[in-house]
Amino acid sequence: MAKVSIISVNYKEYEASRRFLKACLNQTHKELELILVDNESDPEAFSLLQRDFPEVKLIAEKKNKGFAGGNNLGIQQAKGDYLFFLNNDTVPPPELVENMLKGFQAYEDAGGISPKILYLQDKKRIQYAGYTKIHPFTGRNQTIGKEELDQGQHDKARETAYVHGAACMLKREIIEKVGMMPEMYFLYYEELDWSVAIRNAGYKLYYFPEATVYHHASLSTGQDSPLKTYYYYRNRVLFMRRNVRGLPLGIFLLYFFLILSPLKLLGFFLKGKNLHAKSFLKAICWHLSGKKAWI
């Protein structure tokens, strides 16, 4: 029986992590290792987790290493044949791990698989049923099925351009080949960049709806926060700089800085979202200051 390591990252959401760990302990697949990385760990709260979840491998990190950095700490400790990255704001049904493994049995060329993701707040509504590829000129793509009522229209497995960071399982051998999550993103887009590396290594990525998980979206960062604005737009450009070349990259940069940026800033100011406008400007300045896309 394949051993699976579930890896999750906590950032000041201890009650969410408790609910998450309890659900993970009820998985029907028993060859399971649970790893929780606690970013910017609170000693008192962490000690309570240690007391209440002795069967979980808990990692206290003094700094906030971000989503990628936290997951990479988990990867370094994981012993599983498969590594399952799950947000601590998800609620995994008991059969989730078992069904995810069925996806790898069905698709031998799979490097990574994501399940159908439904909103925890509205369990009949879809958050993710696969991704289309990011357009080389606009840096935009679509989340298939997003906000749709789940009526079985996305119940057929298919290839996806990218796995979803809230829930994705990878073979250990893939990570050994392509490396760990790129930490320079810190938050947002790291799993998209990772997905590109996996596909470039010759593997395929799949959306596998026989496995389903419920997700409380944006619990740590908030649905509409200046922090999210900064990393979302900074990393959108960063992703393109790292993964697009030649004329398409030039067209994207012209579009982003000369068309999209003025419109976004105007929209933020008109809506009175001055902190968002400041975060957006900070994201632009990060790139204009000559920051390297590869470190």
Side-chain angles (χ1 to χ4, degrees):
M1 182 181 291
K3 184 171 184 177
V4 176
S5 298
I6 294 180
I7 299 173
S8 191
V9 178
N10 176 67
Y11 180 67
K12 301 184 183 301
E13 293 291 345
Y14 290 96
E15 287 307 311
S17 289
R18 285 177 172 278
R19 292 191 296 269
F20 170 77
L21 292 174
K22 287 177 182 177
C24 288
L25 290 170
N26 288 327
Q27 289 295 303
T28 55
H29 186 83
K30 297 307 178 185
E31 276 296 311
L32 206 61
E33 174 186 50
L34 296 180
I35 301 173
L36 181 73
V37 180
D38 188 21
N39 268 339
E40 204 172 307
S41 183
D42 177 90
E44 183 177 349
F46 186 80
S47 66
L48 291 175
L49 285 179
Q50 288 179 309
R51 182 197 69 188
D52 296 339
F53 297 96
E55 58 274 87
V56 177
K57 188 178 290 185
L58 298 166
I59 301 172
E61 171 55 46
K62 292 182 179 179
K63 297 180 180 179
N64 181 8
K65 295 182 71 69
F67 182 75
N71 276 306
N72 286 344
L73 287 175
I75 291 171
Q76 293 167 21
Q77 296 292 323
K79 306 298 183 184
D81 305 301
Y82 295 85
L83 276 58
F84 193 6
F85 301 90
L86 268 177
N87 276 18
N88 69 330
D89 55 4
T90 60
V91 176
E95 69 282 357
L96 177 61
V97 171
E98 191 174 340
N99 286 339
M100 290 292 289
L101 290 172
K102 290 179 182 177
F104 283 97
Q105 293 167 2
Y107 299 99
E108 294 183 359
D109 57 356
I113 290 175
S114 277
K116 179 192 288 184
I117 303 177
L118 302 173
Y119 287 105
L120 181 61
Q121 302 94 317
D122 184 354
K123 293 184 178 181
K124 293 294 184 180
R125 202 161 296 277
I126 298 170
Q127 182 186 6
Y128 168 89
Y131 281 129
T132 63
K133 281 189 176 181
I134 289 176
H135 195 282
F137 294 164
T138 66
R140 296 295 302 273
N141 72 323
Q142 290 185 338
T143 306
I144 299 169
K146 188 174 177 64
E147 306 295 343
E148 293 179 13
L149 194 64
D150 185 14
Q151 298 177 317
Q153 70 272 37
H154 298 294
D155 280 356
K156 185 176 181 180
R158 55 170 167 259
E159 278 192 62
T160 179
Y162 315 100
V163 292
H164 197 292
C168 62
M169 184 181 285
L170 274 62
K171 293 178 180 177
R172 168 181 287 281
E173 65 192 65
I174 306 302
I175 299 172
E176 291 173 349
K177 179 174 287 190
V178 306
M180 295 189 289
M181 281 191 187
E183 293 189 20
M184 67 185 308
Y185 285 95
F186 190 79
L187 189 67
Y188 301 122
Y189 275 87
E190 54 274 281
E191 78 273 22
L192 306 184
D193 195 297
W194 216 19
S195 294
V196 173
I198 293 168
R199 287 194 280 108
N200 287 344
Y203 299 93
K204 293 181 179 180
L205 304 171
Y206 288 94
Y207 158 72
F208 192 69
E210 188 173 336
T212 300
V213 70
Y214 303 100
H215 183 212
H216 191 308
S218 300
L219 182 61
S220 294
T221 60
Q223 290 282 0
D224 185 29
S225 70
L227 179 72
K228 182 175 181 178
T229 294
Y230 171 71
Y231 280 112
Y232 179 79
Y233 288 104
R234 190 203 77 158
N235 291 349
R236 179 175 168 187
V237 179
L238 180 59
F239 175 89
M240 298 298 284
R241 288 177 61 197
R242 284 169 59 90
N243 293 290
V244 179
R245 296 288 180 270
L247 182 61
L249 177 59
I251 293 173
F252 166 76
L253 293 174
L254 288 172
Y255 161 75
F256 186 88
F257 287 106
L258 299 183
I259 299 175
L260 178 68
S261 294
L263 291 174
K264 276 290 177 186
L265 286 170
L266 179 62
F268 285 137
F269 284 127
L270 289 176
K271 294 176 182 177
K273 294 184 174 182
N274 294 340
L275 290 178
H276 288 265
K278 185 177 180 180
S279 293
F280 188 86
L281 283 171
K282 184 180 176 183
I284 291 175
C285 291
W286 190 90
H287 291 281
L288 296 180
S289 65
K291 296 289 187 179
K292 295 181 180 179
W294 297 92
I295 56 174

